[in-house]
């Protein structure tokens, strides 16, 4: 059941043995979705925003939890918020709690370099929706984006 | 040297980095984000990674050199390094951080010092390889060629 991927002229095959390689180019959104990326490390934020943009999202990025909370409190609307658990000053968990406390119902994805069961539970308890290892992969993100866009997943 | 030759060299070189486990699929994802509107994306991101990592490695060296080591601090630096190395696909650096963390958690100084050496080694190795990769890409571009897209097979 090999997926039909467009074959380019200049592509080399590495044959990684059955691992399905999702690409952020796999998705076509019908709606204009918006996302906020909260990550204290500049280039990580660039990467995360880059991926979202390549999927067709409009993105904003902030490097700390307080800025994220302020943005939401000021009325900015997002379909998706990606939060790194390891933030300077106010951590990702507290940021998630505060955003939920503002009444914000959007999808919140927490990312962390370490993903233990306790970390996941704490994040869900704080009001988060999906907990993922950093960096967030297409496998995790694309189904979420499809859901947000109101499409059915055909995987 | 003909552009086609350099392109082939680049493909082989890149492939070897994946085979040796130095880079993983995250790096491929980054390459896919590079296009005409963003022609230097990978180089920019990786350069920031280099700056960030070298700062962290310095901090780690200092922190482990203290008479009384603050393991919480060490752990937080390793945490950051793991997150950032995995964000660009530097797989062996990432894996070295996993081992490092384990020693932090049991507050084993010797273990931590060994791991720091290991992480530094892996970091400088991947830095060296990536700089070579970028040089090859630069050669192709200045010769008027385009950088071939690499993709993992199924």
């Amino acid at each position: 059941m090999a997926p039909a991927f467009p074959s380019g002229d200049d592509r080399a095959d590495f044959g990684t043995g059955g691992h399905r390689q999702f690409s952020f180019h796999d998705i076509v959104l019908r709606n204009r979705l918006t996302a906020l990326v909260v990550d204290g490390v500049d280039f990580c934020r660039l990467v995360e925003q880059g991926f979202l943009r390549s999927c067709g999202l409009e993105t904003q990025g902030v490097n700390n939890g307080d800025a994220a909370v302020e943005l939401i409190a000021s009325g900015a609307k997002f379909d998706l918020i990606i939060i790194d658990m390891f933030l300077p000053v106010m951590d990702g968990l507290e940021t998630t709690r505060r955003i939920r406390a503002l009444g914000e119902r959007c999808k919140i994805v927490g990312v962390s370099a370490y993903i233990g069961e306790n970390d996941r539970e704490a994040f869900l308890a704080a009001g988060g929706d999906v907990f993922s290892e950093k960096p967030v992969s297409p496998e995790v993100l694309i189904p979420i984006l499809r859901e947000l866009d109101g499409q059915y997943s055909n995987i | 040297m003909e552009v086609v030759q350099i392109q082939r060299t680049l493909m082989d070189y890149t492939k070897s980095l994946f085979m040796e486990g130095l880079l993983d699929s995250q790096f491929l994802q980054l390459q896919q984000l590079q296009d005409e509107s963003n022609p230097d994306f990978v180089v920019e991101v990786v350069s920031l990674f280099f700056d960030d990592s070298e700062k962290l490695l310095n901090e780690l060296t200092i922190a482990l050199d203290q008479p009384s080591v603050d393991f919480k601090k060490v752990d937080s630096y390793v945490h950051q390094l793991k997150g950032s190395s995995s964000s660009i696909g530097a797989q062996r650096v990432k894996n070295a951080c996993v081992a490092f963390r384990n020693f932090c958690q049991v507050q084993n100084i010797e273990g931590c010092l060994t791991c720091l050496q290991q992480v530094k080694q892996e970091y400088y190795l991947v830095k060296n390889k990536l700089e070579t990769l970028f040089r090859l890409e630069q050669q192709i571009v200045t010769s008027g060629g385009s950088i071939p897209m690499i993709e993992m097979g199924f």
Side-chain angles (χ1 to χ4, degrees):
Chain A
M1 218 180 340
F5 271 77
S7 63
D9 296 324
D10 294 325
R11 291 174 192 188
D13 256 358
F14 285 114
T16 50
H19 170 73
R20 182 161 196 230
Q21 178 73 21
F22 272 77
S23 160
F24 284 107
H25 295 170
D26 284 354
I27 184 166
V28 178
L29 297 173
R30 281 194 225 111
N31 300 292
R32 193 116 184 102
L33 299 179
T34 56
L36 174 64
V37 176
V38 190
D39 193 320
V41 181
D42 288 347
F43 77 86
C44 291
R45 212 170 51 248
L46 272 179
V47 169
E48 287 153 350
Q49 284 185 263
F51 286 160
L52 292 168
R53 279 193 196 128
S54 79
C55 294
L57 280 89
E58 224 170 84
T59 73
Q60 269 189 61
V62 290
N63 68 4
N64 70 84
D66 277 306
V69 172
E70 260 177 57
L71 207 50
I72 309 281
S74 74
K77 285 281 162 230
F78 300 101
D79 297 294
L80 171 68
I81 303 179
I82 298 187
I83 305 182
D84 189 310
M85 291 298 100
F86 192 87
L87 292 172
V89 192
M90 182 162 76
D91 69 22
L93 279 182
E94 187 55 28
T95 305
T96 304
R97 274 183 217 117
R98 300 254 182 116
I99 290 175
R100 286 297 186 223
L102 289 171
E104 181 53 67
R105 293 270 158 273
C106 73
K107 192 75 111 178
I108 301 185
V109 175
V111 294
S112 176
Y114 301 115
I115 44 162
E117 210 30 58
N118 293 339
D119 301 315
R120 171 174 274 112
E121 277 169 22
F123 178 66
L124 296 179
D129 295 299
V130 177
F131 192 64
S132 159
E133 190 166 20
K134 187 175 189 179
V136 65
S137 69
E139 283 85 355
V140 169
L141 208 48
I142 287 178
I144 294 174
L145 294 179
R146 286 209 172 112
E147 186 195 317
L148 292 173
D149 194 40
Q151 290 174 342
Y152 287 108
S153 169
N154 59 6
I155 309 297
Chain B
M1 204 194 267
E2 280 233 19
V3 175
V4 172
Q5 288 279 73
I6 314 175
Q7 283 173 329
R8 205 170 294 144
T9 305
L10 174 65
M11 298 281 260
D12 288 343
Y13 191 72
T14 311
K15 188 174 179 179
S16 75
L17 298 184
F18 286 100
M19 292 308 171
E20 287 163 33
L22 281 152
L23 295 175
D24 63 28
S25 60
Q26 178 68 9
F27 188 75
L28 288 178
Q29 304 285 2
L30 288 190
Q31 288 186 314
Q32 288 187 11
L33 291 180
Q34 192 159 285
D35 57 25
E36 307 81 44
S37 66
N38 225 341
D40 300 313
F41 183 75
V42 180
V43 173
E44 280 171 12
V45 167
V46 172
S47 303
L48 289 171
F49 164 71
F50 289 160
D51 293 340
D52 193 68
S53 302
E54 277 162 46
K55 243 179 257 160
L56 286 171
L57 290 173
N58 277 336
E59 299 288 357
L60 277 165
T61 308
I62 292 168
L64 284 171
D65 202 31
Q66 300 306 305
S68 170
V69 173
D70 182 348
F71 283 99
K72 203 156 173 237
K73 211 180 208 184
V74 173
D75 190 56
S76 86
Y77 291 138
V78 176
H79 187 131
Q80 282 180 69
L81 190 54
K82 191 202 176 227
S84 56
S85 57
S86 41
S87 294
I88 68 131
Q91 187 173 244
R92 276 166 42 172
V93 176
K94 173 186 81 168
N95 291 340
C97 289
V98 175
F100 202 152
R101 194 198 196 201
N102 294 334
F103 284 114
C104 275
Q105 303 209 296
V106 298
Q107 308 208 344
N108 180 332
I109 292 231
E110 283 313 310
C112 282
L113 286 168
T114 307
C115 282
L116 178 58
Q117 275 315 107
Q118 185 76 4
V119 172
K120 280 182 178 172
Q121 213 169 295
E122 293 298 349
Y123 167 73
Y124 285 110
L125 180 61
V126 78
K127 178 177 184 188
N128 194 282
K129 300 277 184 176
L130 283 170
E131 284 173 339
T132 303
L133 192 141
F134 294 146
R135 263 198 301 276
L136 284 169
E137 286 185 345
Q138 194 52 39
Q139 272 186 279
I140 292 171
V141 167
T142 50
S143 309
S146 62
I147 297 168
M149 273 294 278
I150 313 273
E151 219 165 84
M152 308 276 255
F154 298 102

